[in-house]
Amino acid sequence: MLSEFGYILLFIITAIVFTAVILFVAKLLRPNRPNVEKLTTYESGEEPDGNANVRFNIRFYVIALLFVLFDLELVFLFPWATVFGNETLNNSTDGLWGWFAIVEMFIFVGILILGLAYAWIKGHLDWVRPEVQEPQFKSPVPISKYEAINKKYS
Amino acid sequence: MIQFVFIAFMVLTLASALVVLLTKNVLYAAFSLLGTFLGVSALYVLAGADFLAVAQILVYVGGVLVLLIFGVMLTNQQGNKSRGRNDITTESSNRVLGVFVMLGFSATLLYTFGRARFLTIQDSLFEAVEPTSTTQTIGVELMTNYVLPFEVSGVLLMAVLIGAAYLSTKTKN
């Protein structure tokens, strides 16, 4: 088992060394003539305006929380998936093992889906929309006059 | 070979944990916590707990840390505008309380280590024993001996889900 994780270690080392070598070689090769225009933040060709450190919508936090919960469920699913179709266990229990395992897992996932459905129906997952402020303005000219002008010049 | 890897990951864990302790910038602390989690999961692998290591990466690096960084991103940083800086720094540093907590943890750990009996690995402390994969054992145990705690943990997760969703909507009114 440890030697199999050794491959992962090799991958990690390769990633670090590869990045370092590429950056170093690029630094050796490239010309270095910075100016103000080159050093500005590139954002789709737009001139950057204001602070990047804005407050995010609180709703993202709920989504992240739900993600962590289902992530935990996934952790339980993994060891189950390796033994659920095990042939020796299935044969020695006359196929009962597989049925038992799948029923248990359906109950486990079902409980969580029940919770998700409850939160969904109760509206806890609704996206908080920013309030649109409609301008309050009463024009002395009736709207039909504007429409008449629009029709005349269109 | 194994002990060099072990020492390297131990240094990674301890160094990034120190950065978490010493830095005042919350975002730096969150990112160096990533190094700590990765180092700890590597130490799990070296201790022969492969499933725990993968679970650590999946849940802590993939989930909890994202939650933490979300927490930083959701923070209102009005107080730092005057200095013209972008970072969020902590003002509180409870050194005395921290030392007390550290002493408590150390005492507990020392007590546990003192009671543990390292008879089998005493003479070959750094010799790696070739451990086998634990995932299938965990799966079989989860479906036989621990099937009731498994389902109860499902109920617990559901309660957490509803609680988290409920608490986060209360700010609407």
Side-chain angles (χ1 to χ4, degrees):
Chain A
M1 185 207 85
L2 218 56
S3 53
E4 286 154 27
F5 275 95
Y7 296 131
I8 299 177
L9 182 67
L10 275 184
F11 268 105
I12 294 172
I13 292 170
T14 314
I16 293 169
V17 169
F18 186 74
T19 318
V21 165
I22 288 286
L23 285 176
F24 182 67
V25 169
K27 188 155 182 66
L28 283 184
L29 289 179
R30 69 173 176 232
N32 185 19
R33 284 187 291 276
N35 61 33
V36 181
E37 196 62 30
K38 278 182 190 171
L39 290 176
T40 51
T41 311
Y42 180 80
E43 193 195 316
S44 315
E46 291 281 328
E47 201 71 38
D49 181 32
N51 200 331
N53 214 348
V54 293
R55 232 180 121 189
F56 277 68
N57 196 328
I58 191 80
R59 281 290 124 189
F60 286 116
Y61 196 70
V62 186
I63 303 299
L65 265 176
L66 290 182
F67 166 71
V68 171
L69 286 171
F70 281 94
D71 214 27
L72 266 179
E73 187 189 334
L74 200 69
V75 167
F76 280 115
L77 267 170
F78 265 116
W80 169 81
T82 55
V83 294
F84 151 66
N86 195 314
E87 266 189 47
T88 34
L89 282 168
N90 258 336
N91 289 338
S92 60
T93 55
D94 215 12
L96 212 61
W97 164 263
W99 282 111
F100 179 71
I102 202 164
V103 164
E104 285 294 337
M105 193 43 82
F106 261 95
I107 291 172
F108 180 69
V109 176
I111 288 170
L112 264 174
I113 287 180
L114 211 68
L116 184 68
Y118 174 82
W120 197 341
I121 288 170
K122 284 281 179 180
H124 295 314
L125 302 181
D126 291 342
W127 203 257
V128 176
R129 291 172 198 284
E131 280 180 31
V132 181
Q133 292 196 337
E134 288 185 15
Q136 300 286 326
F137 176 68
K138 282 217 169 98
S139 170
V141 183
I143 294 176
S144 56
K145 296 286 181 194
Y146 284 112
E147 280 171 359
I149 285 182
N150 281 340
K151 201 172 278 178
K152 188 178 175 187
Y153 290 104
S154 62
Chain B
M1 177 61 201
I2 292 289
Q3 52 262 54
F4 287 119
V5 175
F6 177 76
I7 288 167
F9 277 115
M10 207 171 64
V11 167
L12 170 73
T13 310
L14 287 180
S16 37
L18 262 182
V19 172
V20 175
L21 269 182
L22 295 179
T23 183
K24 288 225 159 194
N25 193 329
V26 180
L27 201 63
Y28 289 170
F31 272 114
S32 48
L33 203 59
L34 177 82
T36 314
F37 284 154
L38 285 179
V40 166
S41 79
L43 294 183
Y44 280 151
V45 170
L46 290 170
D50 58 341
F51 179 71
L52 198 60
V54 174
Q56 164 96 1
I57 289 184
L58 214 67
V59 173
Y60 278 89
V61 179
V64 172
L65 209 63
V66 169
L67 215 62
L68 221 89
I69 291 171
F70 262 123
V72 175
M73 276 158 53
L74 294 166
T75 313
N76 217 352
Q77 50 278 82
Q78 295 297 334
N80 223 3
K81 284 271 166 64
S82 53
R83 288 193 325 170
R85 299 275 305 266
N86 242 349
D87 49 357
I88 311 165
T89 52
T90 51
E91 278 113 36
S92 69
S93 53
N94 236 329
R95 293 232 165 82
V96 183
L97 202 64
V99 166
F100 274 118
V101 170
M102 188 270 284
L103 284 179
F105 273 126
S106 308
T108 316
L109 279 177
L110 278 179
Y111 178 68
T112 317
F113 286 151
R115 280 174 60 96
R117 291 194 287 166
F118 298 106
L119 279 181
T120 49
I121 54 169
Q122 197 103 72
D123 24 294
S124 57
L125 196 60
F126 281 110
E127 291 296 313
V129 279
E130 186 60 38
T132 48
S133 179
T134 55
T135 315
Q136 297 212 340
T137 323
I138 291 175
V140 171
E141 287 291 314
L142 208 61
M143 279 295 126
T144 52
N145 282 340
Y146 298 101
V147 72
L148 185 65
F150 169 66
E151 297 295 348
V152 169
S153 72
V155 175
L156 182 74
L157 282 179
M158 182 190 73
V160 171
L161 196 160
I162 292 173
Y166 174 73
L167 282 179
S168 53
T169 38
K170 265 210 124 177
T171 52
K172 198 154 59 177
N173 320 329

